[in-house]
Amino acid sequence: MLEYEKLLWEQGCSNIAGIDEVGRGCLFGDVVAAAVILPPGLVLDGVNDSKKLSEKKRNELYDIIIEHALYWSIARIDSDEIDRINIKQASRLAMKQAVQTLGVDPDHLLVDAEKIDLDLPQQAIIKGDATSQSIAAASILAKVTRDRLCTTEWESLYPGYGIAIHKGYATKLHREKLLELGPTPLHRKSFLGNIMAQMEQQQMLF
């Protein structure tokens, strides 16, 4: 998990920022990105792709990462902006804003599968959250932040949709609740057209 970081440390880079986002495939809510700079040489046991970790483990690691990080930042792009500029551009914008609010200019960026529109040395790494500790740490911060929004703020705003359960993803429960209750202001309109049409057709068949 430190192969990329070690190469950069050897080149004299000390502030290496890992960047990742979550919520790209959701029907509901913000896309959330995180940027994290960890101290050179630090090894955090258990840090991995956030999707491979239990909720309990992610929450434990979230606190550890916050405690040890030299700098960290979270950025969010809401559903209206996602609909306006598309999810790919919104994800890249969230990651850009996370870097810009770190409080320091990183020496180098390690980004999960994307390039960011910033004039900084950077490397896009496919499956970076499973191969770079810095990116994995960012994925954990972003995932925990978004999950907490789902289970507290958004669940309270829109009870009955099961947001705390499905976290905004296109599960069977979520689709059923959309058909029953209709979309909320936080649903991504650009994501719903085909799904709603299919569900309405299925309902008519029964």
Side-chain angles (χ1 to χ4, degrees):
M1 293 291 286
L2 286 171
E3 176 184 353
Y4 297 100
E5 286 87 345
K6 285 178 179 178
L7 289 173
L8 291 167
W9 291 334
E10 290 171 1
Q11 295 170 23
C13 296
S14 55
N15 287 334
I16 301 166
I19 303 100
D20 200 4
E21 53 77 24
V22 298
R24 188 165 180 157
C26 294
L27 304 179
F28 172 97
D30 302 357
V31 62
V32 177
V36 184
I37 298 177
L38 297 172
L42 177 69
V43 177
L44 294 177
D45 291 337
V47 168
N48 202 336
D49 175 3
S50 63
K51 297 184 293 297
K52 297 179 179 178
L53 302 172
S54 68
E55 181 178 3
K56 179 181 178 182
K57 187 64 175 178
R58 284 195 300 267
N59 281 307
E60 291 173 355
L61 288 169
Y62 177 95
D63 292 335
I64 292 171
I65 293 164
I66 295 299
E67 178 184 353
H68 288 90
L70 298 175
Y71 303 91
W72 64 276
S73 181
I74 301 288
R76 299 162 50 183
I77 303 297
D78 66 24
S79 55
D80 286 340
E81 188 70 358
I82 291 169
D83 286 336
R84 191 180 72 83
I85 64 175
N86 78 49
I87 186 60
K88 180 179 177 64
Q89 296 307 319
S91 298
R92 295 177 68 184
L93 179 59
M95 291 191 286
K96 177 181 179 179
Q97 291 182 357
V99 174
Q100 290 175 319
T101 53
L102 271 172
V104 67
D105 288 334
D107 300 323
H108 198 98
L109 309 180
L110 298 176
V111 191
D112 187 44
E114 289 281 1
K115 283 291 186 77
I116 303 175
D117 184 22
L118 287 170
D119 188 20
L120 290 169
Q122 59 186 283
Q123 189 172 359
I125 304 171
I126 302 300
K127 296 184 179 179
D129 49 7
T131 56
S132 161
Q133 177 177 261
S134 300
I135 297 175
S139 79
I140 291 167
L141 295 193
K143 173 67 173 168
V144 170
T145 297
R146 193 177 193 283
D147 282 358
R148 288 176 179 177
L149 286 167
C150 288
T151 56
T152 56
E153 180 180 332
W154 293 337
E155 175 69 20
S156 298
L157 274 176
Y158 303 107
Y161 284 86
I163 295 165
I165 300 170
H166 54 65
K167 307 296 192 295
Y169 287 92
T171 64
K172 183 175 182 291
L173 171 64
H174 194 178
R175 291 170 185 242
E176 289 172 349
K177 293 300 183 180
L178 270 170
L179 185 58
E180 175 188 347
L181 303 171
T184 72
L186 294 188
H187 276 93
R188 303 172 185 176
K189 298 178 182 66
S190 56
F191 280 51
L192 296 180
N194 290 337
I195 292 173
M196 294 301 290
Q198 290 169 7
M199 293 181 66
E200 288 169 5
Q201 184 178 17
Q202 289 171 3
Q203 187 184 47
M204 288 172 66
L205 291 174
F206 290 98

